[in-house]
Amino acid sequence: MTRVARLPRFLAATLALAAAAAAEAAPPPPPAALQGAREIAALPDGAWLALDKKALRLLGADGREHARLALRGQQLDTRAASHGALAVVLDADTQRTLALTVDTQAMTLTTRSAVESPAFPVEASCLYRDGQGLDHLFVVADDGLAEQWLLGTGPARLVRRLALPPQTQACRVDDAGGWLYAQEEDAGVWAYRAEAEGASRRRAVALVGPLGPLRGGVQAMALLPGGLATVDGRGRLQLWRETDGRWRTAGKPQPTGARGGIEALAASADASSLLLAWRDEKDGRWSSTSRPWAPPAARTQLPVVHAVAQTDPVPRFGDAADDPAIWVHPGDATKSLVLGTNKKQGLFVYGLDGRQRQALEAGRLNNVDVRQGLRFGAMTLDLALATQRDEKALAVFTIAADGTLTDAGRVATGLDDVYGTCLYAPPAGGLEALVNDKDGRVERIRIEATAGADGRPQFSGRVVQRFRLQTQPEGCVADDRAGRLFIGEEDRGVWALSLAETGPEPKLELVLKVGGLLQADVEGLALYHDRKAGRSWLVVSSQGNDSYLVAEAAPPWRVRGAFRVGLNAEAGIDGASETDGLETTSAPLGAALPRGALVVQDGHKRLPDGAQNFKIVDWREVERVLDLN
C-alpha cells in the first residue's frame, strides 16, 4: 500500500520537484518560513524560492529570509546556473515576465525584465533550456496564443509564435525529451515540440474521458524524468511514461485524499524512485508519497554548427525555397553568389552576406546546379540549370563574369513530373544533366550550345541514357573527377553508379541506407572536395531528423558522423530544419570562409517567423565537430 503523509516540513523535498535546478533535496526549513507560499522551488546549496501573493522570497537552508522581491507574482520556474539558478516569474499586475539571477553563495536576487508585456493577457509561462544550453521562455494567453522568446544577457528576442490549447492553465518543458506540456483543464494535457525548428507537432498525453482516463478535468501536472504526473478533478494521481512520442500510464491512478482542489503538484526523482507532493487548495497543506521509478536512458545529441549568414527570405510563404547552388567569382571570391530556387516564383541570387542581388521570374523551379568554365566550341560559359516543373523542362541560365544571370532558354525532357536535377561535366568536355521524375525515372541529357544569329548561345539537349529507381528520387550530385553519380531515393537511401555506363540498366550500389543517422526523407546531396587532403565528402540532408550526414565519397563509403545547424544567438540567426536542398564548395571564399562553405535550405524560418530562406555555414565548423581533418 502506498503511504500518504501530511508533512508540512516536507516542503524542502517538494521544492526539488518544482525545479530542474536542484540536484538534491535540501534540509526542510521551518514551516513558518513558507507560510502562505503557493509556489516553491528548491535551489542549489539548500536555498529556496517561495512565491506568495505579495512577494518572491529567497530563503537559506535554515529557513531565514535573505532577499525579497515585492510583487504579485505567479508562474515561477527555474533552471540551474553557474551562480545558482535562473528563475522567471510573471508579474501579474504588469504582465511582464521577470528574470532573476539567484546567487546562492551571496544569497542575492538580481532582477531584470525578461519579456515585456505581450499583446495579450498571459495565463501561463515556463522555461525551456534547449540542447545548445540556450534558455527560452514560453508565454501563453488564455485563448491559446503563445510566443517563444530567446533569453540572454540582452533584450529577449521573439523566436516564433505558436498555438496551444485554449484555456491553457499551466505549461512545463521537459528539456531532455524536448516536449512542451500544456495543461488544458477541461480536456487534459497535450505535448508539443519545444524545439522551434521543424514542423509543429502535437501529441495527446493524458485526456479527459471518454477519450482518456482523467475524470473531472486535470487540476495539476508535474514533470517526471521521461514522463509526467497528473492529478484529475477527482483527486486521483496518475503517472505517465513517454516513449517515442507516445505516453502510457504507469500503474493505476491513486487517490490523493485532498479535501479540496489541488493547487500545485511537484515531483522529484533519483536513480530509482520518485517523490511526489501536492498542495490542497482547501487547507493549504502539502501531502506526499513515494513510488519506484526508473529514469529513461540519456538521448544522443548530435553536434551543432552555426550559420554565419542567412539569405533574405523568399517573397512567398509556405513550401517555397528549395535548392541552392554556389557560383564562385573568378576574380574576387568574396563576390561569389548563392543561387536559390523558389518553387513558387523562380531563381533568386544572393551575395555571401545573404542580401538578394537578383530575382529571375522563371516559374516553378525545383532543383538547381552550376558548372563553370564549360567549353562549347569557341564559347566558354558558366551555366546554371534548374528543373522547370510546369514546362517539364530544364531552365538554362548563363552567368556573366560579374555574376549577372540571364534566362537563356529551355531544354525539353521526356518526363511527366520533372523533379530533381544535377550536372555532370565529363573529363572529355561538355555538359550533361541528370534529371529525375517523381515516379523514379531518370534521364541523362547531353546539353548542346551553339551561337545564335545575335551571338547569344542557344541550347538544346539529347537523351543519352535512361534508367529507373523503384521509388521517388530527388537529390543527386555528380563527381566529375571520379565519373560517379550519387542519387537519393527518399525512403531507401543513397545510390552510387558509374557514369562511364550509358546502358538502360546501370549497376546501382546502395552506399547509404536509411536507418540510424540517416532518416527519410533523403533530400539534398552535395560533394565537398578537400583538395589539400586529396579526398571528398558526401553530404546528405537527413530530413527526418533535421540533420546532415557526412560520409566518404569513395568505397567503402564510411560514415563520419552527422550534425545539426543550430541557433546562432550571437548573430541572431536561427537554425535549419526540414532541409530540402544543399550545396558545398571547397573554394576559399575570403577571410570569413577560407575553407569554403555549406549552404542549406531552411524549411522553417524563426527568430522571428518568416518565409523560408538559406543558411550559410563555415565549412571549418563541420570539420571541427566531425573531426574531419
Side-chain angles (χ1 to χ4, degrees):
M1 178 181 295
T2 301
R3 177 175 174 271
V4 177
R6 293 200 176 276
L7 297 173
R9 292 179 177 271
F10 175 71
L11 288 176
T14 68
L15 298 180
L17 313 173
E24 302 178 354
L34 295 176
Q35 185 66 33
R38 293 180 176 274
E39 298 182 54
I40 52 180
L43 304 174
D45 304 312
W48 303 85
L49 285 176
L51 181 65
D52 56 35
K53 289 184 176 181
K54 296 182 179 180
L56 176 69
R57 298 177 289 146
L58 175 61
L59 309 176
D62 59 358
R64 186 167 62 90
E65 182 178 309
H66 290 262
R68 170 188 288 255
L69 174 65
L71 82 165
R72 192 168 67 89
Q74 60 189 42
Q75 303 293 334
L76 175 65
D77 202 1
T78 64
R79 289 296 185 274
S82 58
H83 46 73
L86 164 70
V88 293
V89 64
L90 175 68
D91 186 324
D93 293 327
T94 66
Q95 288 285 289
R96 293 166 63 220
T97 301
L98 303 177
L100 298 95
T101 298
V102 186
D103 189 328
T104 55
Q105 295 296 312
M107 293 302 290
T108 58
L109 292 175
T110 304
T111 308
R112 62 179 174 82
S113 177
V115 176
E116 294 294 337
S117 303
F120 53 78
V122 178
E123 183 69 22
S125 65
C126 49
L127 279 171
Y128 164 48
R129 180 164 291 167
D130 66 21
Q132 297 177 232
L134 301 173
D135 290 315
H136 303 246
L137 179 74
F138 289 95
V139 291
V140 190
D142 59 2
D143 63 359
L145 176 64
E147 295 177 344
Q148 180 177 351
W149 290 79
L150 176 67
L151 305 181
T153 56
R157 287 173 286 182
L158 180 64
V159 176
R160 61 166 171 161
R161 292 186 171 92
L162 63 160
L164 297 183
Q167 287 77 54
T168 293
Q169 293 184 314
C171 67
R172 281 294 182 266
V173 179
D174 175 3
D175 297 342
W179 294 107
L180 164 65
Y181 292 109
Q183 175 188 328
E184 185 183 7
E185 182 180 16
D186 295 331
V189 178
W190 303 90
Y192 290 75
R193 182 172 174 167
E195 170 60 53
E197 288 296 339
S200 296
R201 297 176 185 171
R202 183 176 77 160
R203 299 285 188 272
V205 178
L207 298 183
V208 172
L211 300 177
L214 301 184
R215 299 293 180 261
V218 56
Q219 290 189 319
M221 66 177 181
L223 288 175
L224 310 179
L228 195 72
T230 60
V231 174
D232 67 14
R234 295 184 181 178
R236 300 185 309 166
L237 175 66
Q238 179 70 67
L239 308 185
W240 306 83
R241 280 191 178 277
E242 183 263 332
T243 304
D244 296 329
R246 300 188 67 181
W247 285 261
R248 295 178 174 84
T249 57
K252 295 181 179 180
Q254 299 294 321
T256 60
R259 298 169 60 192
I262 301 297
E263 277 193 320
L265 175 65
S268 176
D270 57 21
S272 61
S273 63
L274 280 176
L275 202 56
L276 296 158
W278 54 91
R279 187 177 190 272
D280 192 321
E281 183 178 7
K282 187 170 184 179
D283 59 21
R285 301 187 62 172
W286 290 84
S287 300
S288 66
T289 184
S290 60
R291 304 283 180 87
W293 186 267
R299 305 191 185 206
T300 302
Q301 294 284 342
L302 293 178
V304 172
V305 303
H306 302 101
V308 296
Q310 63 180 336
T311 68
D312 293 332
V314 297
R316 297 287 188 275
F317 282 94
D319 184 18
D322 190 80
D323 187 46
I326 300 171
W327 175 79
V328 179
H329 193 286
D332 184 351
T334 63
K335 296 180 180 178
S336 299
L337 301 172
V338 172
L339 284 57
T341 59
N342 176 346
K343 291 182 286 190
K344 299 182 178 184
Q345 195 171 3
L347 186 64
F348 285 72
V349 182
Y350 310 91
L352 295 179
D353 59 358
R355 298 290 182 86
Q356 182 181 310
R357 300 286 197 272
Q358 202 177 351
L360 295 101
E361 300 273 354
R364 291 205 309 143
L365 302 186
N366 201 68
N367 280 193
V368 63
D369 204 0
V370 167
R371 286 295 186 272
Q372 297 180 227
L374 299 168
R375 293 191 62 81
F376 297 93
M379 295 184 295
T380 300
L381 301 173
D382 290 0
L383 297 178
L385 273 70
T387 46
Q388 217 294 354
R389 298 183 65 177
D390 290 330
E391 300 177 37
K392 304 178 184 180
L394 286 166
V396 184
F397 302 88
T398 58
I399 310 174
D402 64 355
T404 301
L405 272 73
T406 301
D407 190 337
R410 302 290 182 267
V411 173
T413 75
L415 304 176
D416 299 314
D417 195 353
V418 172
Y419 203 38
T421 190
C422 55
L423 298 179
Y424 171 51
L431 181 67
E432 295 177 355
L434 285 299
V435 191
N436 58 58
D437 189 295
K438 281 190 173 184
D439 65 7
R441 288 181 293 161
V442 180
E443 287 188 348
R444 180 176 172 183
I445 301 174
R446 181 78 175 180
I447 305 298
E448 306 288 354
T450 57
D454 58 1
R456 297 177 182 178
Q458 305 291 316
F459 296 95
S460 61
R462 58 184 178 87
V463 177
V464 296
Q465 186 181 28
R466 293 184 176 91
F467 60 94
R468 189 167 196 155
L469 301 180
Q470 292 183 10
T471 61
Q472 181 172 307
E474 182 180 4
C476 64
V477 63
D479 187 337
D480 296 345
R481 290 174 292 182
R484 182 182 292 123
L485 175 71
F486 297 95
I487 184 167
E489 193 172 359
E490 292 190 353
D491 293 331
R492 297 187 67 188
V494 178
W495 299 88
L497 67 147
S498 171
L499 289 169
E501 300 182 44
T502 57
E505 296 183 5
K507 182 181 178 181
L508 293 164
E509 180 183 0
L510 187 61
V511 297
L512 295 173
K513 187 176 181 180
V514 164
L517 292 176
L518 184 61
Q519 296 294 311
D521 289 344
V522 174
E523 290 286 340
L525 305 181
L527 287 168
Y528 181 89
H529 297 296
D530 188 341
R531 295 176 174 85
K532 183 177 179 180
R535 60 190 175 189
S536 298
W537 304 110
L538 176 64
V539 186
V540 185
S541 169
S542 177
Q543 195 176 75
N545 57 358
D546 298 323
S547 66
Y548 310 89
L549 181 143
V550 176
E552 295 175 354
W557 324 107
R558 283 186 293 246
V559 173
R560 291 300 300 265
F563 62 92
R564 296 177 54 245
V565 176
L567 187 153
N568 185 339
E570 183 177 349
I573 301 174
D574 65 309
S577 57
E578 288 195 9
T579 290
D580 287 325
L582 53 79
E583 184 59 288
T584 68
T585 181
S586 60
L589 300 178
L593 300 166
R595 294 278 293 163
L598 164 70
V599 180
V600 303
Q601 181 261 3
D602 181 12
H604 297 273
K605 169 71 174 66
R606 309 298 191 196
L607 201 67
D609 295 308
Q612 295 175 337
N613 69 352
F614 301 90
K615 302 296 195 284
I616 302 173
V617 176
D618 183 347
W619 183 259
R620 292 177 298 177
E621 282 278 284
V622 179
E623 292 179 321
R624 178 183 60 81
V625 299
L626 297 186
D627 193 22
L628 298 182
N629 291 318

